[in-house]
Amino acid sequence: MNGERLIPIYYVDTQEKICAISFDAAWGNEQTDTLLDILDEYGVKSTFFLVKQWVDSYPDSVKEIAARGHDIGNHSSTHPHMAQLSAGEQLDEIENCNKAVEELTGSCPTLFRAPYGEYDNNLIQNLNDESMYCVQWNIDSLDWKDPPPDEMVQRIRQKLVPGSIILLHNGAANTPEALPKIIEAISDEGYTIVPISQIIPEGDYTTDHEGKMILSTESR
């Protein structure tokens, strides 16, 4: 790696007006069904990044997320600070969560989101070796700070660009109220919302200093 800092995917280089909504689930489950119902109402598919501890606690919800056609991503096993772990410990966090999700859904995650957004070269290399993508976000709704729904909508609208990946949480107080407004605002801007698996192009790629995923010329 020659001292090069590896950078995850924060958003995708595309001219198409598409974006992805994602939810991190690490604690609590009171809102998951409500969020799923809202997504169904609008015909939107999204991506849920699940911690293994959450998977173990709410297996029926994991199956329901998959049954309704949403991506399930890996959010680690115990929600640690991944950059503070050894490469071997990181791999355990990744593989144990993958196994738990696959046992319940029949599909192994290909997307990983680091807890707290913290990563290092070892983590990205581990994920590359596992044929997985390390996915961050370029729009943080800040829903975890419990802002008013309209404030969340305005923040997303201001930062939205083709290929955006939006961060929400399944346990934030105002997210169920905000989600319909977010979906409508994105649609009003002419964007289509797709799961992260459909926004990431296949092929060799690089990420620039902002984390924009750029497909290599040979893969286009």
Side-chain angles (χ1 to χ4, degrees), residues 2-216:
N2 299 322
E4 176 190 2
R5 185 162 189 246
L6 303 180
I7 299 177
I9 297 165
Y10 284 78
Y11 66 113
V12 177
D13 180 34
T14 179
Q15 299 302 310
E16 191 177 356
K17 294 187 80 172
I18 55 174
C19 66
I21 289 176
S22 61
F23 299 88
D24 288 0
W27 302 278
N29 194 36
E30 296 78 13
Q31 299 174 352
T32 306
D33 286 344
T34 300
L35 295 172
L36 289 173
D37 288 344
I38 293 168
L39 293 168
D40 276 355
E41 179 183 345
Y42 285 90
V44 168
K45 303 302 181 187
S46 66
T47 303
F48 285 77
F49 287 94
L50 309 181
V51 173
K52 179 182 181 293
Q53 292 173 340
W54 195 93
V55 171
D56 293 342
S57 296
Y58 308 109
D60 289 343
S61 290
V62 178
K63 293 176 184 176
E64 187 68 17
I65 291 167
R68 297 209 199 184
H70 303 285
D71 283 351
I72 293 182
N74 182 327
H75 196 34
S76 80
S77 292
T78 65
H79 207 269
H81 295 271
M82 296 293 285
Q84 297 178 13
L85 303 182
S86 68
E89 290 168 336
Q90 290 176 351
L91 197 57
D92 287 342
E93 286 283 333
I94 297 164
E95 292 183 341
N96 290 337
C97 184
N98 275 353
K99 290 174 185 174
V101 171
E102 187 170 17
E103 285 174 4
L104 287 173
T105 68
S107 296
C108 186
T110 59
L111 307 172
F112 179 88
R113 174 169 285 160
Y116 313 104
E118 295 180 11
Y119 63 92
D120 61 7
N121 280 10
N122 283 335
L123 177 61
I124 298 177
Q125 190 59 57
N126 269 328
L127 292 165
N128 289 343
D129 292 344
E130 295 285 310
S131 298
M132 297 179 70
Y133 296 99
C134 189
V135 180
Q136 304 276 77
W137 58 87
N138 72 310
I139 304 177
D140 185 350
S141 68
L142 298 180
D143 61 346
W144 51 278
K145 290 186 175 182
D146 299 334
D150 288 343
E151 189 176 307
M152 293 165 58
V153 172
Q154 186 65 16
R155 180 177 178 81
I156 290 169
R157 192 193 291 268
Q158 288 175 346
K159 294 177 176 291
L160 190 64
V161 296
S164 280
I165 297 172
I166 300 163
L167 171 64
L168 295 163
H169 295 80
N170 79 319
N174 295 332
T175 301
E177 183 182 346
L179 184 57
K181 298 179 180 183
I182 291 169
I183 293 171
E184 290 169 7
I186 291 171
S187 297
D188 287 347
E189 295 293 331
Y191 283 76
T192 300
I193 302 167
V194 299
I196 291 175
S197 63
Q198 294 182 25
I199 208 171
I200 291 180
E202 292 186 3
D204 295 331
Y205 70 94
T206 58
T207 50
D208 68 10
H209 67 284
E210 292 183 334
K212 179 166 68 174
M213 179 189 189
I214 304 168
L215 205 61
S216 65

